[in-house]
Amino acid sequence: MKDSSDNVDNPDWLGAIRWTADGLVPAIAQDAATGDILMMAWMNRESLRLTAEEGHAVYWSRSRGKLWRKGETSGHQQVVKDIRLDCDEDVILLKVEQKGGIACHTGRRSCFYRTLKEGRWTSVEPVIKDPDAIYGGN
């Protein structure tokens, strides 16, 4: 995805985004080939700028209070093919190539692996790889 430096260095494109009061914007990762929604995470200005510069998804971890390069621990990087902004200018869509086929920390392809059936959340996608094998369980 690596954007040209002229586009990335120009701060106007970041200024067009309607950031939350905390300086964040929700970002949806979508499989560029299939259209499947893989996950949602938060981005701040720096993470979005780095994503555009590096061509790999970089998010902001609210729980850790720091940048989070997708795949830094698991190896399941997201190569960014396209970055889009919605009509309200308050949601980012990343079209990605998901390395390793796993986007979710539970070891599944997508974080959206549960569906509502008869008043209950039911898992409908299998675990591809045990999370302990990915992250080194205790």
Side-chain angles (χ1 to χ4, degrees), residues 2 42 60 62 82 85 88 93 103 106 112 123-124 130 135:
K2 243 180 171 173
W42 294 95
W60 176 255
R62 295 182 305 166
D82 194 13
L85 179 62
D88 291 327
L93 175 66
T106 66
F112 297 95
S123 295
V124 293
D130 184 321
Y135 302 103

Side-chain angles (χ1 to χ4, degrees), residues 54-75:
E54 299 174 4
H56 289 87
V58 180
Y59 299 105
W60 176 255
S61 172
R62 295 182 305 166
S63 61
R64 293 177 276 183
K66 67 177 191 170
L67 292 176
W68 157 46
R69 284 179 161 73
K70 179 66 175 159
E72 66 191 351
T73 304
S74 67

Side-chain angles (χ1 to χ4, degrees), residues 4-138:
S4 71
S5 61
D6 289 342
N7 291 337
V8 174
D9 292 338
N10 180 350
D12 290 346
W13 70 275
L14 287 168
I17 297 167
R18 294 179 192 225
W19 303 93
T20 67
D22 296 335
L24 302 174
V25 66
I28 298 166
Q30 179 183 42
D31 187 294
T34 66
D36 292 345
I37 301 299
L38 301 174
M39 58 176 277
M40 179 272 172
W42 294 95
M43 299 181 106
N44 64 9
R45 285 177 178 264
E46 183 180 10
S47 65
L48 183 51
R49 180 184 57 77
L50 288 169
T51 296
E53 283 179 7
E54 299 174 4
H56 289 87
V58 180
Y59 299 105
W60 176 255
S61 172
R62 295 182 305 166
S63 61
R64 293 177 276 183
K66 67 177 191 170
L67 292 176
W68 157 46
R69 284 179 161 73
K70 179 66 175 159
E72 66 191 351
T73 304
S74 67
H76 301 134
Q77 290 184 322
Q78 292 174 341
V79 179
V80 178
K81 303 298 185 179
D82 194 13
I83 300 175
R84 297 189 180 202
L85 179 62
D86 79 322
C87 60
D88 291 327
E89 301 173 334
D90 61 359
V91 178
I92 297 294
L93 175 66
L94 301 178
K95 294 191 175 202
V96 302
E97 174 190 343
Q98 180 64 59
K99 295 296 186 180
I102 297 172
C104 185
H105 74 281
T106 66
R108 292 175 173 86
R109 173 166 168 66
S110 170
C111 293
F112 297 95
Y113 62 89
R114 291 177 275 201
T115 188
L116 186 61
K117 287 186 179 180
E118 299 177 5
R120 292 199 150 137
W121 292 109
T122 305
S123 295
V124 293
E125 288 192 23
V127 172
I128 297 170
K129 188 171 184 179
D130 184 321
D132 286 344
I134 297 170
Y135 302 103
N138 297 329

